[in-house]
Amino acid sequence: MKRRYNDYMKPMDPIEVFKALSNEARLQILEWLKDPKAHFGSQEGVDLIEIGVCVSQITAKLNMTQSTTSQYLSVLQRAGLIQATRIGKWTYYKRDEDAIKQIASYIQQDL
């Protein structure tokens, strides 16, 4: 299977992407992050679109422990589907739309 490269020159491994997408909660996170303003509350001066959604909001919405949520987010990040930004003691997550387009193109052209 060919490896693809996203804008950061990090290899995108389709197997890792498909593994990340094989969990209902991880799919739900990606869906929520597609339109964060519709699914999450405001965050004291941190833009939901530009910076991302705080892990605590994702944890609350999933109704899971922070460690489980963090593990799910880590899987999505390793697969290249989301990006993390750390500000102080908080971590914010947003979708990597270019990577998602890339995997969609892979599915359409190569599968």
Side-chain angles (χ1 to χ4, degrees), residues 55-69:
V55 67
S56 63
Q57 285 203 59
I58 298 169
T59 299
K61 192 153 181 84
L62 281 174
N63 195 27
M64 294 184 179
T65 65
Q66 184 172 355
S67 63
T68 300
T69 301

Side-chain angles (χ1 to χ4, degrees), residues 21-77:
L21 296 175
S22 70
N23 175 281
E24 187 176 352
R26 291 191 294 260
L27 283 173
Q28 187 67 68
I29 292 168
L30 285 174
E31 183 181 324
W32 291 334
L33 292 178
K34 185 174 183 178
D35 186 4
K37 288 186 176 183
H39 299 285
F40 299 99
S42 63
Q43 306 172 126
E44 302 176 21
V46 177
D47 187 274
L48 290 166
I49 305 295
E50 292 298 316
I51 303 297
V53 178
C54 183
V55 67
S56 63
Q57 285 203 59
I58 298 169
T59 299
K61 192 153 181 84
L62 281 174
N63 195 27
M64 294 184 179
T65 65
Q66 184 172 355
S67 63
T68 300
T69 301
S70 292
Q71 184 179 17
Y72 286 164
L73 290 167
S74 179
V75 169
L76 291 168
Q77 188 177 11

Side-chain angles (χ1 to χ4, degrees), residues 4 18 101-111:
R4 300 290 175 141
F18 295 134
K101 287 176 188 172
Q102 186 179 7
I103 198 66
S105 176
Y106 170 79
I107 292 168
Q108 185 177 33
Q109 293 177 13
D110 296 337
L111 289 182

